[in-house]
Amino acid sequence: MNKGMTAKGRATRRRIIVAAALLTREKGAAETTLDDVRAATATSKSQLFHYFPDGRSDILAAVAEYEAGQVLEAQQPFLSDLSTWESWQGWQQAVLDHYTELGQKCPLGSLTAELGKSSPQARTIVSALYDEWEAALVRGVAALTTDEGEAARRRARSILAAVQGGVVMLQATGRTDYLEAAVTTATGPLQLAGAGAA
């Protein structure tokens, strides 16, 4: 998307995406219009369509990619190195903090729903997020256990599924205790494995 764009052009496009992301967090994707984005970024209609030729759908897809990156960024620096039980504990707290801050709002969920969960764009964005997230968890599982290959992947997927299940219940109830219980239970065996290795 940024291919052939100048540094100034990339910066402008990024500024529009970040502003649109803030709007969708406040108002929801369905309520965020092109006029809202133009007003927030002081850009003309022609400028907006220069960077996002398909208009609103292009902006929503770009914001969804941005929000997917924010999900992973919120878990750093722990997600990059889950080789100790202490780093897993830090990761768990980072996950809880991130979703507690968002509360019942889920910008990425709102955006992908607006794009259409069956749309190729939404599927690509969410799949890329889960693939990167899973790969980091697999490395962490392998570092603390004797699990390798498919066994490590299955354990990592169960942890990721626990996070997402807890998030769905948080969005439905406003309560974080489901998420905390799910993540604590899913990662519990890693604590024992880490203690055994110590």
Side-chain angles (χ1 to χ4, degrees), residues 78-79 81-93 137 139-145 155 159 180-198:
F78 310 103
L79 190 64
D81 182 12
L82 292 168
S83 58
T84 66
W85 174 242
E86 288 71 23
S87 60
W88 275 96
Q89 288 178 301
W91 171 79
Q92 288 179 61
Q93 192 59 54
L137 295 177
R139 290 191 296 271
V141 167
L144 275 195
T145 70
R155 193 188 293 265
I159 294 169
E180 184 172 5
V183 176
T184 300
T185 301
T187 59
L190 298 178
Q191 181 178 13
L192 298 175

Side-chain angles (χ1 to χ4, degrees), residues 159-181:
I159 294 169
L160 183 51
V163 172
Q164 291 303 297
V167 169
V168 168
M169 296 187 78
L170 164 60
Q171 290 161 8
T173 66
R175 293 168 51 188
T176 59
D177 48 344
Y178 294 112
L179 175 60
E180 184 172 5

Side-chain angles (χ1 to χ4, degrees), residues 12-27 31-45 47-48 59 63:
T12 299
R13 187 175 186 277
R14 170 80 175 179
R15 179 173 60 81
I16 294 170
I17 292 169
V18 172
L22 291 174
L23 283 170
T24 57
R25 284 192 177 206
E26 290 171 12
K27 303 177 64 172
E31 300 300 319
T32 300
T33 67
L34 286 180
D35 286 340
D36 292 330
V37 177
R38 285 178 54 212
T41 57
T43 52
S44 66
K45 192 170 185 178
Q47 191 176 21
L48 209 59
I59 291 176
V63 173

Side-chain angles (χ1 to χ4, degrees), residues 35 38 42 45 53 60 65 70 92 104 106 112 116-117 119 127 135 141-142 147-148 151 163 166 175 181 188 194:
D35 286 340
R38 285 178 54 212
K45 192 170 185 178
L60 289 180
E65 288 181 10
Q70 293 300 105
Q92 288 179 61
Q104 290 175 276
C106 179
T112 53
K117 289 185 179 178
S119 78
S127 293
V141 167
D147 290 347
E148 296 177 359
V163 172
R175 293 168 51 188

